[in-house]
Coordinates of all heavy atoms in Angstrom, one line a residue:
R161 N -0.1 -13.3 21.1 CA 1.0 -14.1 21.6 C 2.4 -13.5 21.3 O 3.4 -14.1 21.7 CB 0.9 -15.6 21.1 CG -0.2 -16.3 21.8 CD -0.2 -17.8 21.6 NE -1.5 -18.3 21.2 CZ -1.8 -19.0 20.1 NH1 -0.8 -19.3 19.3 NH2 -3.0 -19.3 19.9
S162 N 2.4 -12.4 20.5 CA 3.7 -11.7 20.3 C 3.3 -10.3 19.7 O 2.1 -10.0 19.5 CB 4.6 -12.5 19.3 OG 4.3 -12.1 17.9
R163 N 4.3 -9.5 19.5 CA 4.1 -8.2 18.9 C 4.6 -8.2 17.4 O 4.7 -7.2 16.8 CB 4.8 -7.1 19.7 CG 4.1 -7.0 21.1 CD 4.4 -5.7 21.8 NE 5.8 -5.7 22.1 CZ 6.7 -4.7 21.9 NH1 6.3 -3.6 21.2 NH2 7.9 -4.7 22.2
L164 N 4.9 -9.4 16.9 CA 5.3 -9.5 15.5 C 4.1 -9.7 14.6 O 3.4 -10.7 14.7 CB 6.3 -10.7 15.3 CG 7.7 -10.5 16.0 CD1 8.4 -11.8 15.9 CD2 8.4 -9.4 15.3
I165 N 3.9 -8.8 13.6 CA 2.8 -8.9 12.8 C 3.1 -9.3 11.3 O 4.3 -9.1 10.9 CB 1.9 -7.6 12.7 CG1 2.8 -6.4 12.2 CG2 1.4 -7.3 14.1 CD1 2.0 -5.3 11.6
N166 N 2.2 -9.9 10.6 CA 2.3 -10.2 9.2 C 2.5 -8.9 8.4 O 1.6 -8.0 8.4 CB 1.0 -10.9 8.8 CG 0.9 -11.1 7.3 OD1 1.9 -10.9 6.6 ND2 -0.2 -11.6 6.9
A167 N 3.7 -8.7 7.8 CA 4.0 -7.5 7.1 C 3.5 -7.5 5.7 O 3.8 -6.6 4.9 CB 5.5 -7.2 7.2
G168 N 2.7 -8.5 5.2 CA 2.1 -8.5 3.9 C 3.0 -8.9 2.8 O 2.7 -8.5 1.6
T169 N 4.1 -9.6 3.0 CA 5.0 -10.0 2.0 C 5.4 -11.5 2.3 O 5.9 -11.8 3.4 CB 6.3 -9.1 1.9 OG1 5.9 -7.8 1.7 CG2 7.2 -9.6 0.7
Y170 N 5.3 -12.3 1.3 CA 5.5 -13.8 1.5 C 6.3 -14.4 0.5 O 6.3 -14.0 -0.7 CB 4.1 -14.5 1.5 CG 3.0 -13.8 2.1 CD1 1.9 -13.4 1.3 CD2 2.9 -13.4 3.4 CE1 0.8 -12.7 1.8 CE2 1.9 -12.7 4.0 CZ 0.8 -12.3 3.1 OH -0.2 -11.6 3.7
L171 N 7.0 -15.5 0.9 CA 7.6 -16.4 -0.1 C 6.9 -17.7 0.0 O 6.8 -18.3 1.2 CB 9.1 -16.6 0.2 CG 10.0 -15.4 -0.2 CD1 11.3 -15.4 0.4 CD2 10.1 -15.3 -1.8
L172 N 6.3 -18.2 -1.0 CA 5.5 -19.5 -0.9 C 6.0 -20.5 -2.0 O 6.2 -20.2 -3.1 CB 4.1 -19.2 -1.2 CG 3.3 -18.2 -0.2 CD1 1.9 -18.0 -0.6 CD2 3.4 -18.8 1.2
E173 N 6.1 -21.7 -1.5 CA 6.5 -22.9 -2.4 C 5.2 -23.3 -3.1 O 4.1 -23.2 -2.5 CB 7.1 -24.0 -1.5 CG 8.5 -23.7 -1.0 CD 9.4 -23.3 -2.1 OE1 9.5 -24.0 -3.1 OE2 10.0 -22.2 -2.0
P174 N 5.3 -24.0 -4.2 CA 4.2 -24.5 -4.9 C 3.3 -25.4 -4.0 O 2.1 -25.3 -4.1 CB 4.8 -25.3 -6.1 CG 6.1 -24.7 -6.3 CD 6.6 -24.2 -5.0
K175 N 3.9 -26.2 -3.1 CA 3.1 -27.0 -2.2 C 2.2 -26.2 -1.3 O 1.1 -26.6 -1.0 CB 4.1 -27.8 -1.3 CG 4.4 -29.2 -1.7 CD 5.1 -29.8 -0.5 CE 5.3 -31.3 -0.8 NZ 6.2 -31.9 0.3
A176 N 2.6 -25.0 -0.9 CA 1.8 -24.1 -0.1 C 0.6 -23.6 -0.9 O -0.6 -23.6 -0.5 CB 2.6 -23.0 0.4
F177 N 0.8 -23.3 -2.2 CA -0.2 -22.9 -3.1 C -1.3 -24.0 -3.3 O -2.5 -23.7 -3.3 CB 0.3 -22.6 -4.5 CG 0.7 -21.2 -4.7 CD1 2.0 -20.8 -4.3 CD2 -0.1 -20.3 -5.2 CE1 2.4 -19.5 -4.5 CE2 0.2 -18.9 -5.4 CZ 1.5 -18.6 -5.0
E178 N -0.8 -25.2 -3.3 CA -1.8 -26.4 -3.5 C -2.7 -26.5 -2.3 O -3.7 -27.1 -2.5 CB -1.0 -27.7 -3.8 CG -0.1 -27.7 -5.0 CD -0.8 -27.4 -6.3 OE1 -2.1 -27.7 -6.4 OE2 -0.2 -26.8 -7.3
M179 N -2.3 -26.0 -1.2 CA -3.1 -26.1 0.0 C -4.3 -25.2 -0.1 O -5.3 -25.3 0.7 CB -2.3 -25.8 1.3 CG -1.3 -26.9 1.6 SD -0.2 -26.3 3.0 CE -1.5 -26.3 4.3
I180 N -4.3 -24.2 -1.0 CA -5.3 -23.2 -1.1 C -6.4 -23.8 -1.9 O -6.2 -24.1 -3.1 CB -4.8 -21.8 -1.7 CG1 -3.6 -21.3 -0.9 CG2 -6.0 -20.8 -1.7 CD1 -2.9 -20.1 -1.5
P181 N -7.7 -23.9 -1.4 CA -8.7 -24.4 -2.3 C -9.0 -23.5 -3.5 O -8.9 -22.3 -3.4 CB -10.0 -24.4 -1.4 CG -9.5 -24.1 0.0 CD -8.1 -23.5 -0.1
A182 N -9.2 -24.1 -4.7 CA -9.3 -23.3 -5.9 C -10.8 -23.0 -6.1 O -11.7 -23.7 -5.6 CB -8.9 -24.2 -7.1
G183 N -11.0 -21.8 -6.8 CA -12.4 -21.5 -7.2 C -13.3 -21.0 -6.2 O -14.5 -20.9 -6.4
R184 N -12.8 -20.6 -5.0 CA -13.7 -20.0 -4.0 C -13.0 -18.9 -3.2 O -11.7 -18.9 -3.3 CB -14.3 -21.0 -3.1 CG -13.4 -21.7 -2.1 CD -14.2 -22.3 -1.0 NE -13.4 -23.1 -0.1 CZ -12.8 -22.7 1.0 NH1 -12.8 -21.4 1.3 NH2 -12.1 -23.5 1.8
K185 N -13.7 -18.1 -2.5 CA -13.1 -17.1 -1.7 C -12.3 -17.7 -0.5 O -12.9 -18.6 0.2 CB -14.2 -16.2 -1.2 CG -13.7 -14.9 -0.5 CD -14.9 -14.0 -0.3 CE -14.3 -12.6 0.1 NZ -15.2 -11.5 0.1
V186 N -11.1 -17.3 -0.4 CA -10.3 -17.9 0.7 C -9.4 -16.7 1.3 O -8.8 -15.9 0.6 CB -9.2 -18.9 0.2 CG1 -8.4 -19.5 1.3 CG2 -9.9 -20.0 -0.6
S187 N -9.4 -16.6 2.6 CA -8.5 -15.7 3.3 C -7.3 -16.5 3.6 O -7.3 -17.5 4.4 CB -9.1 -15.2 4.6 OG -8.1 -14.8 5.5
V188 N -6.1 -16.1 3.0 CA -4.9 -16.9 3.2 C -4.5 -16.8 4.7 O -3.9 -17.7 5.3 CB -3.8 -16.4 2.3 CG1 -3.2 -15.0 2.7 CG2 -2.7 -17.4 2.2
E189 N -4.8 -15.6 5.3 CA -4.4 -15.5 6.7 C -5.2 -16.4 7.6 O -4.6 -17.1 8.5 CB -4.7 -14.0 7.1 CG -3.9 -13.0 6.3 CD -4.6 -12.5 5.1 OE1 -5.6 -13.1 4.7 OE2 -4.1 -11.6 4.4
R190 N -6.5 -16.5 7.4 CA -7.4 -17.2 8.3 C -7.4 -18.7 8.0 O -7.4 -19.6 8.9 CB -8.8 -16.8 8.3 CG -9.0 -15.4 8.9 CD -10.4 -14.9 8.9 NE -10.5 -13.5 9.2 CZ -10.4 -13.0 10.5 NH1 -10.3 -13.8 11.5 NH2 -10.5 -11.7 10.7
E191 N -7.3 -19.1 6.7 CA -7.4 -20.5 6.4 C -6.1 -21.2 6.2 O -5.9 -22.4 6.5 CB -8.2 -20.7 5.2 CG -9.7 -20.3 5.4 CD -10.6 -20.8 4.2 OE1 -10.4 -22.0 3.7 OE2 -11.4 -20.0 3.8
I192 N -5.1 -20.5 5.7 CA -3.8 -21.2 5.3 C -2.7 -21.0 6.3 O -2.1 -21.9 6.8 CB -3.4 -20.8 3.9 CG1 -4.5 -21.0 2.9 CG2 -2.1 -21.6 3.4 CD1 -5.1 -22.4 2.8
F193 N -2.5 -19.7 6.7 CA -1.4 -19.5 7.6 C -1.6 -20.1 9.0 O -0.7 -20.7 9.6 CB -1.1 -18.0 7.8 CG -0.6 -17.3 6.5 CD1 -0.7 -15.9 6.4 CD2 0.0 -18.0 5.5 CE1 -0.3 -15.3 5.2 CE2 0.4 -17.4 4.4 CZ 0.3 -16.0 4.2
T194 N -2.9 -20.2 9.4 CA -3.2 -20.8 10.7 C -2.9 -22.3 10.6 O -2.4 -22.9 11.5 CB -4.7 -20.6 11.1 OG1 -5.5 -20.8 9.9 CG2 -5.0 -19.2 11.6
Q195 N -3.2 -22.9 9.4 CA -3.0 -24.3 9.1 C -1.5 -24.7 9.0 O -1.0 -25.7 9.4 CB -3.7 -24.7 7.8 CG -4.0 -26.1 7.6 CD -4.7 -26.2 6.2 OE1 -5.4 -25.3 5.7 NE2 -4.4 -27.4 5.5
L196 N -0.7 -23.7 8.4 CA 0.7 -24.0 8.1 C 1.6 -23.7 9.4 O 2.7 -24.1 9.4 CB 1.2 -23.1 7.0 CG 1.2 -23.7 5.6 CD1 1.6 -22.6 4.6 CD2 2.1 -24.9 5.5
A197 N 1.0 -23.0 10.3 CA 1.8 -22.7 11.6 C 2.1 -24.0 12.2 O 1.3 -24.9 12.4 CB 1.0 -21.8 12.5
G198 N 3.4 -24.1 12.5 CA 3.9 -25.4 13.1 C 4.1 -26.5 12.1 O 4.4 -27.6 12.4
A199 N 3.9 -26.2 10.8 CA 3.9 -27.2 9.8 C 4.7 -26.7 8.5 O 4.2 -26.9 7.4 CB 2.5 -27.7 9.4
G200 N 5.7 -25.9 8.8 CA 6.5 -25.5 7.6 C 6.5 -24.0 7.3 O 7.1 -23.5 6.3
L201 N 5.8 -23.2 8.2 CA 5.7 -21.8 8.0 C 6.8 -21.1 8.8 O 6.9 -21.4 10.0 CB 4.3 -21.3 8.4 CG 4.0 -19.8 8.0 CD1 3.9 -19.7 6.5 CD2 2.6 -19.4 8.6
H202 N 7.6 -20.2 8.2 CA 8.6 -19.5 8.9 C 8.4 -18.0 8.9 O 7.6 -17.5 8.1 CB 10.0 -19.9 8.3 CG 10.5 -21.2 8.8 ND1 11.7 -21.4 9.4 CD2 9.9 -22.5 8.6 CE1 11.8 -22.7 9.7 NE2 10.8 -23.4 9.2
G203 N 9.1 -17.3 9.8 CA 9.0 -15.9 9.9 C 10.3 -15.2 9.6 O 11.4 -15.8 9.9
F204 N 10.3 -14.0 9.0 CA 11.5 -13.2 8.7 C 11.3 -11.8 9.3 O 10.8 -10.9 8.7 CB 11.7 -13.1 7.2 CG 13.0 -12.4 6.9 CD1 14.2 -13.0 7.0 CD2 12.9 -11.1 6.4 CE1 15.4 -12.2 6.7 CE2 14.1 -10.4 6.1 CZ 15.3 -10.9 6.3
P205 N 11.6 -11.7 10.7 CA 11.4 -10.3 11.3 C 12.5 -9.4 10.6 O 13.6 -9.8 10.4 CB 11.8 -10.6 12.7 CG 11.7 -12.0 12.9 CD 12.1 -12.7 11.6
F206 N 12.0 -8.2 10.4 CA 13.0 -7.2 9.9 C 12.7 -5.8 10.5 O 11.7 -5.6 11.1 CB 12.9 -7.0 8.3 CG 11.6 -6.4 7.8 CD1 11.6 -5.1 7.4 CD2 10.4 -7.1 7.8 CE1 10.5 -4.5 7.0 CE2 9.3 -6.5 7.3 CZ 9.3 -5.2 6.9
A207 N 13.8 -5.0 10.5 CA 13.7 -3.6 11.1 C 13.8 -2.6 10.0 O 14.1 -3.0 8.8 CB 14.7 -3.5 12.2
G208 N 13.7 -1.4 10.3 CA 13.8 -0.3 9.3 C 12.5 0.5 9.2 O 12.2 1.2 10.1
S209 N 11.8 0.3 8.1 CA 10.5 1.0 8.0 C 9.4 0.1 7.4 O 9.7 -0.8 6.6 CB 10.7 2.2 7.1 OG 11.2 1.8 5.8
W210 N 8.2 0.3 7.8 CA 7.0 -0.4 7.2 C 5.8 0.3 7.4 O 5.5 0.8 8.6 CB 6.9 -1.8 8.0 CG 5.8 -2.6 7.5 CD1 5.8 -3.5 6.4 CD2 4.4 -2.7 8.0 NE1 4.6 -4.1 6.3 CE2 3.7 -3.6 7.2 CE3 3.8 -2.0 9.1 CZ2 2.4 -3.9 7.5 CZ3 2.4 -2.3 9.3 CH2 1.7 -3.2 8.5
I211 N 5.0 0.5 6.4 CA 3.7 1.2 6.5 C 2.7 0.5 5.5 O 3.1 0.2 4.4 CB 3.7 2.7 6.2 CG1 4.6 3.4 7.3 CG2 2.3 3.3 6.2 CD1 4.6 4.9 7.1
D212 N 1.5 0.2 6.0 CA 0.4 -0.3 5.2 C -0.4 1.0 4.9 O -1.0 1.6 5.7 CB -0.4 -1.3 6.0 CG -1.8 -1.5 5.5 OD1 -2.2 -0.8 4.6 OD2 -2.4 -2.4 6.1
A213 N -0.3 1.4 3.6 CA -0.9 2.7 3.2 C -2.4 2.7 3.0 O -2.9 3.5 2.2 CB -0.1 3.3 2.0
G214 N -3.1 1.8 3.7 CA -4.5 1.6 3.4 C -5.5 2.5 4.1 O -6.7 2.3 3.8
T215 N -5.1 3.4 5.0 CA -6.1 4.3 5.6 C -5.6 5.7 5.4 O -4.5 6.0 5.0 CB -6.1 4.1 7.2 OG1 -4.8 4.5 7.7 CG2 -6.3 2.6 7.5
P216 N -6.5 6.7 5.5 CA -6.1 8.1 5.3 C -4.9 8.5 6.1 O -3.9 9.1 5.6 CB -7.3 8.9 5.7 CG -8.5 8.0 5.4 CD -8.0 6.6 5.8
E217 N -4.8 8.1 7.4 CA -3.7 8.5 8.2 C -2.4 7.8 7.7 O -1.4 8.4 7.7 CB -4.0 8.0 9.7 CG -5.1 8.7 10.4 CD -6.5 8.2 9.9 OE1 -6.6 7.1 9.3 OE2 -7.5 8.9 10.1
S218 N -2.5 6.5 7.4 CA -1.3 5.8 7.0 C -0.9 6.1 5.6 O 0.3 6.1 5.3 CB -1.4 4.3 7.2 OG -2.4 3.7 6.3
Y219 N -1.8 6.6 4.8 CA -1.5 7.1 3.4 C -0.6 8.3 3.6 O 0.4 8.5 2.9 CB -2.8 7.3 2.6 CG -2.5 7.9 1.3 CD1 -2.0 7.1 0.2 CD2 -2.8 9.2 1.0 CE1 -1.8 7.6 -1.0 CE2 -2.5 9.7 -0.3 CZ -2.0 8.9 -1.3 OH -1.8 9.4 -2.5

Side-chain angles (χ1 to χ4, degrees):
R161 287 193 227 124
S162 88
R163 292 197 293 130
L164 289 171
I165 62 155
N166 172 7
T169 303
Y170 324 117
L171 286 162
L172 296 178
E173 291 304 309
K175 262 191 173 173
F177 270 87
E178 300 301 334
M179 291 173 66
I180 307 173
R184 72 162 170 89
K185 191 166 187 167
V186 181
S187 157
V188 75
E189 300 87 353
R190 291 182 192 279
E191 290 192 45
I192 307 302
F193 293 161
T194 44
Q195 195 183 333
L196 266 177
L201 192 63
H202 283 239
F204 181 77
F206 70 101
S209 57
W210 179 87
I211 294 184
D212 159 356
T215 67
E217 297 75 19
S218 65
Y219 178 73

